[in-house]
């Protein structure tokens, strides 16, 4: 039996019929066609599916879509603004913070959340924030460098 839910995704209101067991990651990818959120493990181990639920990072493979009813969801597609890519996205490009890119959306969401709360994170702060994200391609050095570069660039601009 489907349930009607209302969810704000990246500032757009959606009224959607969903099965009660549908995961948020599948609502985003399959129903709303926001495929930037990657589905990696279904066990909350990899973090590729990380989105924000009311400004808090969550692994969308462990959140039921019905739990988002009446809430705000922000996906990696919501990072870009009219003025262009978010500074975290630009820094990942500039500092080679990605290789295959599969884990990147989840890490970008976690990084943006961190920098919104801590504009001057240490390397330890960054590594702790992204500790729930698994990147199978890198040793995390360029990822950490990219996040710290984004923080520095934002501080210099303000």
């Amino acid at each position: 039996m489907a349930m009607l839910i209302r969810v704000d995704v990246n500032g757009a209101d959606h009224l959607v019929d969903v099965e009660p067991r549908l995961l948020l990651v599948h609502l985003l990818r399959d129903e709303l066609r926001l495929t930037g959120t990657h589905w990696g493990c279904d066990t909350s181990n990899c973090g590729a599916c990380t989105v924000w639920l009311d400004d808090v990072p969550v692994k969308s493979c462990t959140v039921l879509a019905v739990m988002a009813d009446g809430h705000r969801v922000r996906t990696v597609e919501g990072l870009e603004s009219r003025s262009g890519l978010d500074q975290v996205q630009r820094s990942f490009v500039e500092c080679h913070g990605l290789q295959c890119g599969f884990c990147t959306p989840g890490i970008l969401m976690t990084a943006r959340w961190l920098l919104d709360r801590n504009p001057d994170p240490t390397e330890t702060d960054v590594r702790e924030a992204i500790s729930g994200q698994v990147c199978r391609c890198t040793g995390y050095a360029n990822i950490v460098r990219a996040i710290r570069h984004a923080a520095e660039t934002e501080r210099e601009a303000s």
Side-chain angles (χ1 to χ4, degrees):
M1 169 187 267
M3 298 177 65
L4 188 62
I5 65 168
R6 181 181 304 275
V7 60
D8 174 319
V9 181
N10 298 328
D13 198 37
H14 296 273
L15 196 58
V16 188
D17 275 320
V18 298
E19 292 295 321
R21 65 178 182 239
L22 183 72
L23 295 173
L24 181 57
V25 67
H26 296 301
L27 170 67
L28 296 170
R29 290 184 59 80
D30 303 335
E31 302 295 325
L32 302 181
R33 301 288 184 224
L34 295 170
T35 57
T37 300
H38 292 163
W39 177 39
C41 67
D42 256 351
T43 60
S44 80
N45 288 319
C46 76
C49 67
T50 300
V51 299
W52 293 4
L53 183 61
D54 291 336
D55 299 324
V56 176
V58 297
K59 294 178 180 179
S60 62
C61 74
T62 59
V63 175
L64 296 171
V66 295
M67 295 167 73
D69 185 26
H71 295 276
R72 289 175 290 112
V73 174
R74 188 174 184 195
T75 70
V76 70
E77 290 92 346
L79 286 182
E80 187 176 9
S81 68
R82 289 185 181 151
S83 61
L85 295 178
D86 183 90
Q87 183 57 54
V88 173
Q89 293 170 306
R90 288 194 305 271
S91 291
F92 265 64
V93 172
E94 293 168 16
C95 298
H96 309 288
L98 62 135
Q99 285 186 17
C100 83
F102 193 80
C103 67
T104 305
I107 293 175
L108 289 171
M109 296 306 294
T110 301
R112 178 74 271 152
W113 178 84
L114 169 66
L115 297 185
D116 286 351
R117 281 143 190 82
N118 180 354
D120 191 14
T122 64
E123 179 176 338
T124 301
D125 294 334
V126 171
R127 288 185 179 276
E128 183 177 316
I130 64 170
S131 65
Q133 318 289 144
V134 175
C135 176
R136 292 171 177 92
C137 298
T138 71
Y140 295 92
N142 285 353
I143 292 170
V144 172
R145 187 176 301 114
I147 295 168
R148 295 197 66 214
H149 179 265
E152 180 181 340
T153 303
E154 289 178 351
R155 284 192 316 274
E156 288 174 356
S158 59

